[in-house]
């Protein structure tokens, strides 16, 4: 048995007289949405969606293809892969939303998108720890990362949380690759009394994003390559400060200007990763060449909030 609606919920929106009336009629039907922000968002969504349909004069076949595409985004999303997020990234929408929400001055280090592989379950390690848990392979280049976390006025921030995650030199995150040790190339660190942090890893490489699904089909149809510039992901947070989400790229990466998810949001994120072969690496077991990266992060005062993870279920 169904329940009849309350009288208050019956909003007569009318019947279209011309095809153009449909948009206003839908907006009228939704106009009693109680939550003001939800009303604002859905109203704008309907306006833009209807304008889009009109602009391209969407055919019924194209409409069904779009419905199937959205359905497949859901079907392809599993606990370790979020195809919906990857689609948003490949459309540049994730980067747009990130830019709209990070109120930072041009003097501050720039933010960059979170990406689909952030996890809040990564372990916390002591400073200096090596997050590369795999047996070293020929060609791996040890990377020593260090820097400082400060407030935007330069005050050092002790006990700030630096979270880092990145892909292997083969271009896969540990959650995409069963041959890597669990939690490989992921970790969290707390800054010391002077706001400093340091850790060891291996230098990441450029890599293709997952192309087994609908995002791969879209990139192919658009004659776009699926590569991301090599990068390390960071979130940096401290009590009383807005969390910074960013990525750091090697300056010499060939995909900086064609990153398939528009991740290089600002030139300041492309940095030197100097190579050394002095035999005097910070860890004595590193005898051959190694590289270093020095990156300082500055935070703006505000509410400290970590992002939600696209893969932690
Ligand atoms: C990544 O940074 O790993 C990534 C970002 C967007 C889509 C796919 C992967
Ligand atoms: Fe990434």
């Amino acid at each position: 048995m169904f329940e009849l609606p309350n009288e208050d919920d019956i909003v007569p929106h009318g019947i279209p007289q011309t095809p153009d009336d449909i948009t206003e009629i839908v907006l009228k039907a939704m106009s009693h949405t109680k939550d003001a922000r939800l009303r604002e968002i859905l109203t704008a969504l309907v306006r833009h969606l209807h304008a889009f349909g009109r602009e391209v004069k969407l055919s019924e076949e194209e409409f069904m293809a779009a419905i199937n595409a959205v359905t497949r985004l859901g079907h392809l999303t599993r606990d370790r892969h979020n195809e919906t997020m990857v689609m948003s990234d490949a459309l540049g929408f994730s980067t747009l939303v990130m830019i709209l929400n990070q109120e930072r001055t041009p003097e501050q280090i720039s933010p960059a998108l979170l990406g689909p592989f952030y996890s809040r379950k990564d372990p916390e390690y002591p400073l200096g720890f090596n997050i590369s848990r795999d047996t070293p392979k020929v060609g791996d280049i040890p990377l020593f990362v260090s820097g400082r976390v400060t407030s935007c006025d330069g005050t050092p921030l002790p006990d700030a949380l630096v979270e880092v995650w990145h892909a292997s030199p083969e271009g896969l995150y540990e959650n995409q690759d069963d041959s890597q040790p669990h939690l490989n190339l992921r970790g969290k660190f707390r800054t010391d009394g002077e706001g400093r942090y340091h850790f060891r890893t291996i230098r990441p490489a450029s890599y293709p994003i997952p192309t087994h699904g609908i995002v791969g089909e879209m990139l192919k149809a658009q004659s776009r390559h699926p590569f991301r510039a090599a990068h390390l992901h960071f979130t940096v947070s401290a009590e009383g400060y807005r969390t910074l989400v960013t990525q750091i790229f090697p300056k010499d990466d060939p995909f900086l200007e064609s990153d398939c998810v528009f991740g290089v949001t600002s030139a300041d994120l492309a940095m030197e990763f100097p190579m050394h072969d002095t035999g005097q690496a910070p860890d004595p077991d590193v005898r051959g060449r190694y590289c270093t990266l020095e990156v300082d992060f500055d935070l703006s005062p505000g509410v400290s909030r970590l992002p939600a993870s696209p893969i932690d279920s």
Side-chain angles (χ1 to χ4, degrees):
M1 252 323 253
F2 49 76
E3 261 181 54
L4 287 171
N6 293 328
E7 229 164 78
D8 287 354
D9 292 336
I10 303 177
V11 181
H13 50 62
I15 297 170
Q17 313 269 312
T18 76
D20 283 346
D21 293 345
I22 184 64
T23 305
E24 285 312 312
I25 280 180
V26 176
L27 292 176
K28 189 166 176 191
M30 303 187 331
S31 63
H32 290 220
T33 305
K34 290 192 181 66
D35 182 316
R37 177 64 176 156
L38 186 63
R39 187 168 64 244
E40 181 185 3
I41 289 173
L42 291 178
T43 300
L45 177 68
V46 165
R47 263 209 211 101
H48 288 274
L49 195 60
H50 284 217
F52 154 76
R54 286 195 176 91
E55 182 181 323
V56 301
K57 196 162 191 320
L58 203 67
S59 73
E60 282 168 307
E61 290 74 23
E62 289 161 343
F63 171 68
M64 279 319 294
I67 293 291
N68 286 336
V70 174
T71 307
R72 284 181 62 206
L73 290 178
H75 286 162
L76 286 161
T77 295
R78 316 213 175 280
D79 50 352
R80 296 203 297 175
H81 174 77
N82 192 325
E83 184 81 359
T84 316
M85 184 71 156
V86 178
M87 179 58 94
S88 165
D89 297 340
L91 291 173
F93 197 66
S94 309
T95 290
L96 171 72
V97 173
M98 181 277 302
I99 289 171
L100 290 173
N101 285 282
Q102 291 270 346
E103 291 144 22
R104 298 179 66 78
T105 65
E107 290 73 41
Q108 293 185 269
I109 187 166
S110 300
L113 85 164
L114 182 71
F117 300 131
Y118 170 67
S119 168
R120 287 173 71 167
K121 296 181 180 164
D122 292 348
E124 191 170 323
Y125 295 121
L127 289 172
F129 193 82
N130 184 2
I131 59 169
S132 174
R133 296 162 161 239
D134 217 347
T135 322
K137 298 195 183 69
V138 178
D140 284 357
I141 304 173
L143 169 65
F144 292 89
V145 184
S146 59
R148 211 162 195 218
V149 180
T150 62
S151 155
C152 49
D153 65 6
T155 313
L157 295 178
D159 209 36
L161 185 67
V162 177
E163 297 175 285
V164 59
W165 67 105
H166 67 90
S168 68
E170 287 75 39
L172 292 168
Y173 285 78
E174 56 85 33
N175 55 298
Q176 297 174 290
D177 179 6
D178 289 336
S179 75
Q180 288 183 48
H182 184 46
L183 301 174
N184 192 34
L185 306 175
R186 295 175 171 278
K188 300 176 187 172
F189 297 90
R190 291 263 171 205
T191 54
D192 67 13
E194 293 175 335
R196 294 189 187 281
Y197 73 90
H198 65 285
F199 63 89
R200 174 174 159 189
T201 185
I202 48 175
R203 188 180 155 129
S206 329
Y207 64 87
I209 64 168
T211 53
H212 62 282
I214 184 131
V215 174
E217 286 170 28
M218 181 185 79
L219 293 178
K220 205 162 177 195
Q222 295 174 330
S223 304
R224 288 167 63 191
H225 72 69
F227 273 77
R228 293 226 51 208
H231 57 275
L232 296 163
H233 290 268
F234 288 96
T235 75
V236 185
S237 52
E239 209 43 55
Y241 291 86
R242 284 179 68 114
T243 300
L244 169 68
V245 177
T246 194
Q247 300 179 26
I248 304 298
F249 305 86
K251 219 172 190 157
D252 56 359
D253 192 279
F255 298 110
L256 288 177
E257 294 199 19
S258 67
D259 184 293
C260 69
V261 296
F262 314 95
V264 190
T265 36
S266 172
D268 66 313
L269 299 178
M271 295 191 180
E272 301 288 353
F273 283 51
M275 189 73 83
H276 310 264
D277 48 16
T278 58
Q280 293 181 337
D283 285 350
D285 64 302
V286 176
R287 291 197 195 88
R289 61 186 187 149
Y290 64 94
C291 59
T292 51
L293 166 67
E294 187 148 4
V295 49
D296 295 339
F297 299 107
D298 57 339
L299 303 184
S300 310
V303 179
S304 175
R305 219 180 275 126
L306 288 176
S309 162
I311 52 169
D312 292 345
S313 40

